[in-house]
Amino acid sequence: MSNIKNIAVFTSGGDAPGMNAAIRAVVRTGLYYNLNVFGIGRGYDGMVHGDIFPMDAKSVANIIQRGGTILKTARSEEFRTASGRQRAYENLQKQGIDGLVAIGGDGTFTGATKFIEEHNIPIIGLPGTIDNDLVGTDFTIGYDTAINTVIEAVDKIRDTAESHDRVFVVEVMGRDSGLIALRSGISVGAECVLIPEIKVDYEAMMDRLDRTRKNKASRVIIVAEGEDAGGAFAVAERIKERFPHYDMRVSILGHIQRGGSPTCMDRVLASRLGVAAVEALLEGRRGEMAGLIHGQATFTPFSKAIKHLGGINDNLLRIVDILSL
Ligand code: F6P
C-alpha cells in the first residue's frame, strides 16, 4: 500500500468522448478512498503554469454524458523541455500532490514516462483516444463513440450515393492507425478500406470497384487520414483517371468524429478504468496504463503501451474483401 493522500487528474492530447466519464470516475473514487483530489487544466501545459484546483463530487456532477473534456486539453511544447517539467513538478509539490492520473494517448504517456524518470512521481495512465492505437487494452476510451459517429455519417452518405449511383471516397481520422477505418468500414459495408498499416494495392482496388459495379448502385471507399496514398482526394483522382465515367464525390468527416456524447460502452469503460487507476495508485503502482483485456483490468507499462505493434487484425480486412462482392 502507498501513502498517497493527494492526487490530480488531467487530460492531454486530442480529446475523446468518455474523457469526462473517466475524470468523474477518478475524482469520485479518490473521494471514496478519502483522498484530496485536484484537477489540472489543459494537460501538461496547465501543470507547467500552475492551473491546478481542488475538485469535489459536485464538480463532476452531470458530466458523464458530455463529450470533450471539462479539464480541457492541449499539446504542450514547454513540457517537452526539462525546465518545463521541473516547473510542473514544483507546481505539483506546492499542492502536495503525490499521485497523478493521466488520461490521453501515446504523447501523454511518453511525457509521463520522462516525468517519472526525472521526478519519481507515481502516474497511472488511462487510454483516452479515438484512435484505439494503444497496446494493453482491447479498446481505448472514445473509440466506440467515434466509430459510431462514422457509421451514422456514412449511412447518410450511402443514401445519397445510392440515389445518384455515385462512388464516394470518405476520409476518417486515425493519424497512424487504420482501426477507425477498418471497423467502421465493415459496419457500413464499404467496398474498400485503405489504412496506413497496409500498402495500398491500387490494382486490387480498381478490380474490385469494377467487379462490384454490377451488384451495386453506390460504392464507398473508406480511407484513413494517415494512409500512404495521400488522402481521400488523391485516391479519388486515381480512380477517376481509371474510370472517367464514374460519378465521384469526396467527403472528409474530420473533427465531428472526436465530439459528441459517449456511447454506453465508452462510459462504462471510462468508469471502470477510472476506478482501477485510483486503486492502482493506492496499491503502489506507477508508470502503467490501465486497460481492459477480455473484460479484465490489466496494467501495461507505458513503454509497451505506446509501441505501435501494427495492431491490425488481418481477419477484419479479409471480412471487408469477402463481403464486398
Ligand atoms: O489522435 C487523435 C486524432 O484525432 C487523430 O486521429 C488525428 O490525426 C489527430 O488527433 C488530429 O489532431 P488535431 O485535432 O490536433 O488536428
Side-chain angles (χ1 to χ4, degrees), residues 241-315:
E241 269 166 31
R242 176 74 173 272
F243 302 114
H245 54 291
Y246 281 7
D247 187 1
M248 295 198 56
R249 292 292 185 274
V250 170
S251 179
I252 298 186
L253 298 188
H255 285 76
I256 63 160
Q257 295 161 88
R258 285 239 297 260
S261 182
T263 58
C264 172
M265 181 153 152
D266 275 328
R267 296 182 200 194
V268 174
L269 177 65
S271 301
R272 287 189 67 180
L273 294 183
V275 173
V278 175
E279 291 182 341
L281 279 175
L282 292 173
E283 283 161 16
R285 288 181 172 276
R286 59 174 58 201
E288 294 176 315
M289 183 195 84
L292 278 194
I293 297 181
H294 302 317
Q296 292 301 313
T298 308
F299 294 91
T300 304
F302 287 147
S303 56
K304 190 169 169 208
I306 60 183
K307 279 215 169 71
H308 298 271
L309 296 180
I312 287 297
N313 179 340
D314 288 346
N315 195 38

Side-chain angles (χ1 to χ4, degrees), residues 13-16 75 105-106 128-133 172-177 180 225-226 254-255 257-258:
D15 64 330
R75 305 193 203 265
D106 52 1
T129 165
I130 62 164
D131 292 346
N132 201 34
D133 58 349
V172 300
M173 274 186 159
R175 194 172 20 215
D176 306 308
S177 166
I180 293 179
E225 65 178 347
H255 285 76
Q257 295 161 88
R258 285 239 297 260

Side-chain angles (χ1 to χ4, degrees), residues 19-172:
M19 278 185 164
N20 282 328
I23 294 165
R24 169 182 179 271
V26 170
V27 171
R28 293 208 167 155
T29 309
L31 298 173
Y32 176 85
Y33 285 107
N34 295 316
L35 304 176
N36 297 307
V37 186
F38 294 80
I40 302 174
R42 295 175 296 104
Y44 290 119
D45 210 44
M47 214 185 278
V48 174
H49 293 281
D51 185 3
I52 302 171
F53 41 86
M55 294 187 84
D56 56 21
K58 203 169 162 196
S59 54
V60 291
N62 197 27
I63 66 166
I64 193 168
Q65 77 280 25
R66 283 170 57 189
T69 160
I70 59 160
L71 292 178
K72 302 207 180 273
T73 182
R75 305 193 203 265
S76 171
E77 283 309 315
E78 278 169 293
F79 193 80
R80 289 179 201 272
T81 65
S83 61
R85 291 191 291 274
Q86 177 64 33
R87 274 180 71 192
Y89 181 64
E90 285 163 13
N91 285 329
L92 294 178
Q93 274 194 314
K94 274 186 213 154
Q95 310 276 1
I97 290 164
D98 43 17
L100 289 172
V101 177
I103 308 171
D106 52 1
T108 309
F109 302 151
T110 304
T113 305
K114 271 229 151 328
F115 206 40
I116 297 172
E117 268 165 31
E118 290 170 359
H119 299 290
N120 193 29
I121 181 159
I123 308 179
I124 291 292
L126 293 187
T129 165
I130 62 164
D131 292 346
N132 201 34
D133 58 349
L134 293 166
V135 176
T137 191
D138 289 337
F139 298 106
T140 55
I141 297 164
Y143 176 63
D144 186 62
T145 307
I147 53 180
N148 278 291
T149 299
V150 172
I151 68 175
E152 197 185 329
V154 180
D155 286 350
K156 289 176 179 166
I157 287 172
R158 183 70 91 167
D159 289 346
T160 171
E162 191 76 5
S163 308
H164 286 263
D165 296 346
R166 276 181 173 152
V167 175
F168 262 84
V169 182
V170 180
E171 185 175 298
V172 300

